[in-house]
Each structure stands twice: as structure tokens, then as C-alpha cells.
């Protein structure tokens, strides 16, 4: 004999809300940085606004997009032209941004933004994290990323 179960839509919505609250996850700073990288990489394929891009990608991350990752992405998009000019100035003669893979460009933008605009991120940490992201998301481009960032830091006396 089967038992009939009656559940109202309000009860389902309350259960979903409680489950979403339980999913709130504490991310390490490295994980938040990786989230920012993923969002920047995603943004490189679209001309949509940052708000729309964040909304479109929010479900990809368990627990949603961290406030820190969101703030970094918004900041990077605001000064993207400046960041890209900085990166361009450290490329070998004859190279342009279009020759850099999208993952490496997103990593470089993120690291230079952190070095230049975030006082609480030492340059050595930004570079190390960028190299780790490059090892994980690019094919043999970690040395390139390290070289560009090292040159930038030496030329600007960043710490």
C-alpha cells in the first residue's frame, strides 16, 4: 500500500532556501582568486556587462561567487585597458596581446591588478598564485607568466 505525500510549493521553496544556506562555503584566498580568474576568463568570450556575466556564472560555483572575487573582477574590468597596456609593455618585440592565450592574459591581468591596486597582497604572493594558476590552467605558460610579472615588479619596485 502506497502512502500519499502532500507537499506545498511553499514547503519546497523553504527546503531549497535552507539547502542553499547550508551550502555557504568558506573559501580560501587562493580559491577566491581562482574564482576571479575563472570569471575573467569567461568574460573574455563575451561583451556582456559584468553584472550579467556574474549572474550568468553564479550557479557554476558551489556557494555562489565570493564577494572578493566579484570585487576583483569588477575592478579589473574597470581598469582593463591600463592593465593590458602594462602587459603589452613587457612583451617581446613584435608580440601583441592577441598572441597571449586567454587564460594567461586573465592570469596576468589578475596578478598585476592585485600588485598595483591591492595593498594587502604582496607582489611575491600575487606572482606565486599567478604561476600556480598558470600551471593548472595553461600548457607550459607558467614561465611566461612569471617572467612578465617579475619584469613588472622589478621595473616598478613593487614589494
Amino acid at each position: 500500500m502506497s502512502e500519499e505525500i502532500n507537499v506545498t510549493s511553499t514547503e519546497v521553496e523553504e527546503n531549497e532556501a535552507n539547502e542553499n544556506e547550508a551550502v555557504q562555503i568558506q573559501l580560501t584566498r587562493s580559491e577566491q582568486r581562482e574564482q576571479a580568474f575563472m570569471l575573467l576568463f569567461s568574460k573574455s568570450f563575451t561583451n556582456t556587462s559584468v553584472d550579467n556575466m556574474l549572474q550568468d556564472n553564479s550557479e557554476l560555483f558551489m556557494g555562489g561567487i565570493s564577494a572578493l572575487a566579484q570585487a576583483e573582477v569588477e575592478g579589473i574590468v574597470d581598469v582593463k585597458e591600463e592593465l593590458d597596456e602594462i602587459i603589452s609593455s613587457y612583451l617581446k618585440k613584435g608580440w601583441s596581446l592577441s598572441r597571449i592565450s586567454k587564460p594567461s592574459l586573465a592570469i596576468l591581468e589578475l596578478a598585476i591588478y592585485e600588485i598595483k591596486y591591492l595593498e594587502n597582497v604582496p607582489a611575491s604572493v600575487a606572482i606565486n598564485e599567478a604561476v600556480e594558476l598558470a600551471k593548472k590552467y595553461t600548457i607550459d605558460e607558467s614561465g611566461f607568466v612569471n617572467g612578465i610579472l617579475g619584469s613588472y615588479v622589478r621595473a616598478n619596485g613593487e614589494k
Side-chain angles (χ1 to χ4, degrees), residues 4 17-18 28 30 33 43 56 66 71 74 76 79 83 103 120 155:
E4 189 173 312
N18 290 337
T28 66
S30 292
R33 184 178 283 111
K43 177 83 173 94
D56 291 345
S66 78
E74 290 170 347
I76 291 165
V79 295
L83 297 173
N120 63 341

Side-chain angles (χ1 to χ4, degrees), residues 12-113:
V12 170
E13 289 170 7
E14 286 173 2
N15 281 343
E16 288 175 357
N18 290 337
E19 287 174 11
N20 287 338
E21 287 175 18
V23 175
Q24 292 299 322
I25 296 173
Q26 293 290 359
L27 299 175
T28 66
R29 179 63 182 98
S30 292
E31 291 168 334
Q32 292 177 69
R33 184 178 283 111
E34 187 171 7
Q35 212 177 59
F37 157 72
M38 290 177 177
L39 292 165
L40 286 172
F41 179 67
S42 174
K43 177 83 173 94
S44 69
F45 292 98
T46 180
N47 286 331
T48 187
S49 71
V50 173
D51 288 338
N52 287 340
M53 188 267 307
L54 292 170
Q55 187 175 8
D56 291 345
N57 288 289
S58 65
E59 293 180 9
L60 298 176
F61 304 104
M62 188 184 313
I65 297 170
S66 78
L68 184 64
Q70 182 174 340
E72 280 197 353
V73 169
E74 290 170 347
I76 291 165
V77 169
D78 286 345
V79 295
K80 183 175 176 32
E81 286 183 29
E82 178 187 356
L83 297 173
D84 288 348
E85 285 178 22
I86 291 169
I87 295 165
S88 291
S89 71
Y90 291 97
L91 295 176
K92 289 182 181 180
K93 204 174 225 180
W95 274 58
S96 65
L97 288 178
S98 63
R99 279 191 76 178
I100 301 175
S101 70
K102 288 183 186 287
S104 288
L105 184 57
I107 291 167
L108 288 167
E109 289 170 343
L110 176 61
I112 291 176
Y113 176 81

